Amino acid sequence: MDRRSFIKNASLGGLGAAAASALASPAIAQSNPKVTWRLTSSFPKGLDTIYGGAEVFAKHISEATDGNFEIQVFAANEIVPGLQAADAVSAGTVEACHTVAYYYWGKDPTWALASAVPFALNARGMNAWHYHGGGIDLINEFFAGQNLVVYPGGNTGVQMGGWFRKEIKTVADLQGLKFRIGGFAGAIVAKLGVIPQQIAGGEIYQALEKGTIDAAEWVGPYDDEKLGFQKVAPYYYYPGFWEGGPTVHLMFNKAKFDELPKNYQALVRTAAQATDANMLQKYDHLNPTAIKKLVANGAKLQPYSPEILAACFEAAESTYAEMEEKNENFKKIWGSIKAFRKDYFLWLQVAEYANDTFMMQLQRGGKLG
């Protein structure tokens, strides 16, 4: 081969390689562009399971994109206070947050429906409604007006009903009770004479110890155990009927979410659903051991009486009826939840109830090992 032919062939080969590279590299770059977001949590790092949900989500995103889509997670108060997380995302201060929608019910009670309201659905029911009952679409239709895109990103399962300094047996015992209980639920129990109190988690123990409050609800055995409430308010009531299955949400600034390539948007939805499942599974694994430790250390488990539950249910239903009359968004979403709730609890009475009841009887009889 002469020199001229060699150069000609080499040049063509080089051009071919360059062309192949030009075709391949932009496609990869376009599908996995470099993106860095900040996510603010409503939770402190000490609540490792619920706060850890955001870290699980960020890890899934990073690993699936070879580190091209990074989400930096910040605990409550590192960027903004925990109860301002959604506001920060809506305003574009940060791109994402991990929070509970009912924290913001004061803006519009419709916010609470995305997470939990008294006597709604349990965790599995909420997930069924969200993923297959049109819930995600309904709430995103509402949240689009807040410049937000939201997906379920965790669930604690049904929570406990609070720590009390004295026994609560009848509705009359609720009169004048100073109860640390969150937002929407506080408005319900206030109809029965309870005086709702808003106190930060780190201040609850001292308030109970001093008698500034009479009772406080937090989360459930695993998280409650860390705070030692049984030492100052030993009566541990259940169930937390206002949080039968509270959904924790991952919220995203809508403008920023819409800028993502379609494969990143799909990944966000998938990673959020994985995070949602993981949190509930982790709580289900941790709570059985924690409840035994609490009882061993002085907690006195007490169920709410049927009288109290029935009175709270009626108060809740009357509140919902009032809100449906004056809030079209609330009416639309609550109507969807109500319709599913009726059939869902019908189905639970069949195989699920029979199986679980029998297994519980075996457990009480010491026959499960």
Side-chain angles (χ1 to χ4, degrees), residues 333-352:
I333 296 177
W334 179 237
S336 176
I337 294 173
K338 275 198 302 184
F340 180 63
R341 179 181 67 169
K342 182 178 179 181
D343 287 339
Y344 178 68
F345 283 106
L346 170 65
W347 160 236
L348 285 189
Q349 293 174 60
V350 188
E352 200 82 32

Side-chain angles (χ1 to χ4, degrees), residues 175 186-194 314-320 322:
Q175 291 294 320
I188 302 296
V189 296
K191 289 190 170 186
L192 302 176
V194 171
E314 293 302 324
E317 290 294 295
S318 67
T319 300
Y320 301 147
E322 293 167 7

Side-chain angles (χ1 to χ4, degrees), residues 114 136 139-140 143 148-152 249-252:
I136 288 176
I139 63 173
N140 272 295
F143 282 117
L148 295 170
V149 172
V150 306
Y151 293 109
H249 274 95
L250 286 155
M251 299 185 177
F252 309 96

Side-chain angles (χ1 to χ4, degrees), residues 35-264:
V35 176
T36 300
W37 278 6
R38 296 190 302 167
L39 180 154
T40 183
S41 174
S42 283
F43 316 108
K45 292 181 180 179
L47 295 177
D48 57 292
T49 300
I50 196 165
Y51 168 80
E55 295 181 321
V56 169
F57 172 72
K59 184 172 183 282
H60 285 320
I61 295 290
S62 178
E63 289 179 347
T65 61
D66 292 326
N68 285 313
F69 189 177
E70 293 288 341
I71 298 177
Q72 302 167 343
V73 179
F74 297 86
N77 299 314
E78 290 184 344
I79 296 179
V80 295
L83 298 184
Q84 295 177 21
D87 298 324
V89 176
S90 179
T93 304
V94 294
E95 291 82 5
C97 72
H98 193 221
T99 189
V100 186
Y102 59 51
Y103 289 158
Y104 313 93
W105 79 280
K107 298 175 182 292
D108 183 326
T110 309
W111 281 73
L113 295 175
S115 179
V117 294
F119 303 104
L121 296 164
N122 62 16
R124 280 178 53 189
M126 281 300 291
N127 280 335
W129 175 74
H130 273 307
Y131 294 110
H132 299 284
I136 288 176
D137 291 337
L138 282 172
I139 63 173
N140 272 295
E141 181 181 315
F142 169 72
F143 282 117
Q146 320 293 326
N147 194 30
L148 295 170
V149 172
V150 306
Y151 293 109
N155 201 303
T156 66
V158 61
Q159 295 191 4
M160 292 293 284
W163 297 89
F164 291 74
R165 287 162 55 89
K166 62 178 183 179
E167 289 187 81
I168 302 296
K169 297 180 179 179
T170 67
V171 172
D173 293 330
L174 299 176
Q175 291 294 320
L177 186 82
K178 292 177 289 185
F179 189 9
R180 188 273 182 193
I181 185 170
F184 194 93
I188 302 296
V189 296
K191 289 190 170 186
L192 302 176
V194 171
I195 304 172
Q197 306 289 306
Q198 297 292 330
I199 300 175
E203 300 172 6
I204 297 174
Y205 184 96
Q206 187 176 24
L208 284 169
E209 185 178 38
K210 291 184 174 180
T212 306
I213 59 175
D214 304 304
E217 63 89 22
W218 188 230
V219 182
Y222 178 70
D223 289 328
D224 290 12
E225 181 193 3
K226 300 173 184 177
L227 301 180
F229 294 144
Q230 74 278 2
K231 299 175 186 176
V232 289
Y235 298 101
Y236 198 21
Y237 276 82
Y238 61 91
F241 53 82
W242 52 91
E243 293 182 285
T247 299
V248 182
H249 274 95
L250 286 155
M251 299 185 177
F252 309 96
N253 178 275
K254 189 175 188 305
K256 288 295 184 181
F257 183 86
D258 290 345
E259 290 175 2
L260 293 175
K262 295 298 183 183
N263 64 317
Y264 275 15

